[in-house]
Amino acid sequence: MKVLAINGSHRKGSTLILLEEALKELSEFETEVISLCDYKLEYCKVCNACKKNGGICIVNDGYQEIEKKMKEADAIIVGSPVYFGSITGMLKTLFDRSRTLRVNWELKDKVCAAITVGATQHGGQEHTLQAIHAWALIHGMILVADSDPTAHFGGAAVAKQVDGEFKIDEWGLQTARSVGKRVREVLKAIKG
Ligand SMILES: Cc1cc2nc3c(=O)[nH]c(=O)nc-3n(C[C@H](O)[C@H](O)[C@H](O)COP(=O)(O)O)c2cc1C
């Protein structure tokens, strides 16, 4: 079974660290983490070609590679820093482009979980998680959150950059680990 983690940050920083922390709990599966900042992603142009041609996007860029990875995954953990109380523009662009995968419900029944990080406590982490949840639900994915001992809506952390290093709060790191554990539990329960 494959678990794909998507780092929606515009850089490789604290979101990436949290996703890697979650993936440590999933070492019995094939895991991969990708960072959207490594890809060129155009906006959805609303040409509706994908709706008419069976789900093929006619904008040729980095999306096709990400789309293939999402199709092949059994579970997807989506990470985003909080940007003005919600997900990053880059992640929203990926979500919009993923309309191609809804034409034939290709993400349906995959497990999905969300992780976020902000610079401040109460900086919009819950709303950011819910923006990711909306995407997963609209695709018919099986949405999971974190589990014991943190158990709320997913991974939610606070990070500061000190002397070039990312300092993430311990409870936040624990929520990311709990996400990994919960994804493992649910993958085993539903896929055997
Ligand atoms: C454009 C922008 C908007 C941000 N808005 C918020 C915010 O609303 N709330 C918050 O807590 N942090 C906010 N931050 C801080 C980031 O969420 C924080 O630095 C996070 O750790 C960055 O994750 P990264 O290291 O994975 O890039 C913002 C940062 C940027 C660049």
Side-chain angles (χ1 to χ4, degrees):
M1 276 193 282
K2 287 188 185 173
V3 181
L4 174 69
I6 299 174
N7 170 23
S9 175
H10 293 198
R11 66 178 180 182
K12 294 178 186 176
S14 45
T15 307
L16 182 61
I17 294 168
L18 286 154
L19 289 170
E20 285 169 344
E21 207 59 32
L23 290 184
K24 283 183 195 160
E25 301 292 334
L26 290 149
S27 55
E28 68 205 76
F29 306 121
E30 190 182 330
T31 63
E32 182 181 12
V33 57
I34 60 167
S35 291
L36 295 188
C37 58
D38 286 334
Y39 294 84
K40 185 172 179 285
L41 273 182
E42 301 284 343
Y43 295 126
C44 168
K45 299 197 184 311
V46 211
C47 64
N48 289 326
C50 64
K51 299 264 280 181
K52 295 171 202 143
N53 68 15
I56 298 162
C57 184
I58 58 165
V59 180
N60 235 313
D61 57 7
Y63 176 67
Q64 282 69 24
E65 191 182 319
I66 304 173
E67 184 192 46
K68 183 168 180 286
K69 289 179 191 294
M70 290 198 289
K71 275 190 206 178
E72 287 171 357
D74 297 289
I76 302 176
I77 304 177
V78 182
S80 177
V82 183
Y83 277 11
F84 282 93
S86 192
I87 57 172
T88 64
M90 223 176 239
L91 184 60
K92 183 64 168 69
T93 299
L94 175 68
F95 285 176
D96 293 345
R97 294 286 298 281
S98 77
R99 193 183 189 208
T100 59
L101 294 169
R102 200 166 173 272
V103 175
N104 294 314
W105 295 101
E106 290 176 272
L107 296 184
K108 189 166 180 273
D109 295 341
K110 293 182 190 292
V111 175
C112 185
I115 290 178
T116 191
V117 55
T120 55
Q121 237 176 4
H122 319 297
Q125 282 87 338
E126 288 194 357
H127 182 260
T128 304
L129 292 176
Q130 284 167 356
I132 298 170
H133 291 173
W135 173 76
L137 292 171
I138 289 167
H139 274 290
M141 299 175 87
I142 298 166
L143 184 60
V144 304
D146 49 322
S147 59
D148 187 57
T150 54
H152 287 96
F153 301 105
V158 180
K160 300 245 175 292
Q161 216 178 332
V162 184
D163 300 329
E165 259 191 63
F166 297 100
K167 305 271 184 206
I168 305 176
D169 68 309
E170 183 45 43
W171 187 255
L173 284 163
Q174 185 58 51
T175 62
R177 292 179 202 120
S178 298
V179 165
K181 272 192 251 165
R182 183 70 186 136
V183 170
R184 187 180 67 214
E185 254 172 31
V186 176
L187 270 180
K188 283 186 164 174
I190 63 172
K191 307 254 182 187

